[in-house]
Amino acid sequence: MTKISLALTTALVASASAFAPSQVAKSTTVLSATGFEEVGGVAWDPLSLGKLEDANDTFPNMFPKSQYLQEAEIKHGRMCMLAWTGVWATHVGGMGLGMHLTGMPIESDWTKALGAFSAEQPAMFAAILLFISVAEGESVGHSGDNWRNMSTKEPGNLGFDFLGLTKKLSEEDAARYKIVELKNGRAAMIAMASLFAMESIPGSVPLMNIFN
């Protein structure tokens, strides 16, 4: 449980740093953080999907601009991190690594885990749904039209830092945690995609066979 608590605490710090409002003054280190440092600071985008907004002259408002794409990536990364944690929390034996969380339902089939959780923990399930609803409304609501880069808020910033975690961080550390969250979100999206692939096409993810 110590490892799980440490992992959850780290994830919370990373998420809170992304939710909190950004500072006005930023150092060079903050500005240069892109999340693609391992590949020379340039996003891997062979299909140029991130540049679809350049076609707006020909097809006005047909393709989303950068604010919408950044918001979507951060949001879906957070969703998949929560989903992956939910799989580990409810799976018998923690998928071979013993990471089942005490108090969570035990379900050998991860595709049925959400139903088991909602049946055994209705109050917690309702609280999670409420939080998701508030976060979703905040991300696309009063802040403006991010589809056309007209939103007034930073992508992924929900202003949610009730523990004041970011106040204890330097600008460099806050920027680093945002990159940590972004990269872990990307990994979680791949992980969840692998679970669905494994369920749909048995044997398509050999690594998962190790975890039985």
Side-chain angles (χ1 to χ4, degrees), residues 37-204:
E37 282 71 24
E38 294 84 354
V39 289
V42 180
W44 184 77
D45 187 14
L47 298 180
S48 298
L49 298 178
K51 300 178 181 179
L52 287 177
E53 64 180 81
D54 295 340
N56 277 341
D57 291 340
T58 306
F59 305 100
N61 301 322
M62 183 175 181
F63 301 110
K65 294 193 175 183
S66 58
Q67 281 186 340
Y68 182 90
L69 296 176
Q70 292 171 13
E71 182 79 33
E73 180 182 26
I74 295 172
K75 181 194 304 182
H76 286 87
R78 290 168 180 168
M79 290 168 58
C80 287
M81 285 189 284
L82 290 173
W84 183 250
T85 301
V87 172
W88 286 92
T90 57
H91 196 280
V92 176
M95 298 184 71
L97 297 182
M99 293 184 68
H100 178 270
L101 300 184
T102 303
M104 293 292 102
I106 298 176
E107 177 53 61
S108 58
D109 185 351
W110 70 272
T111 63
K112 300 178 181 178
L114 181 61
F117 173 73
S118 61
E120 296 184 22
Q121 304 279 0
M124 187 180 298
F125 181 67
I128 292 175
L129 286 183
L130 177 61
F131 176 78
I132 292 174
S133 299
V134 172
E136 182 70 14
E138 175 67 19
S139 67
V140 298
H142 61 81
S143 58
D145 183 8
N146 60 8
W147 183 273
R148 294 182 291 175
N149 275 2
M150 298 174 65
S151 176
T152 58
K153 80 176 187 67
E154 177 187 4
N157 182 356
L158 302 181
F160 180 72
D161 186 21
F162 63 94
L163 294 178
L165 297 176
T166 55
K167 295 179 181 179
K168 303 176 183 179
L169 300 174
S170 65
E171 291 183 3
E172 288 78 9
D173 286 339
R176 183 173 65 84
Y177 277 123
K178 290 181 181 181
I179 299 301
V180 167
E181 182 193 32
L182 190 62
K183 292 181 177 179
N184 281 278
R186 291 167 182 164
M189 286 188 279
I190 294 174
M192 289 308 300
S194 72
L195 286 183
F196 282 100
M198 179 185 67
E199 187 69 22
S200 303
I201 310 174
S204 60

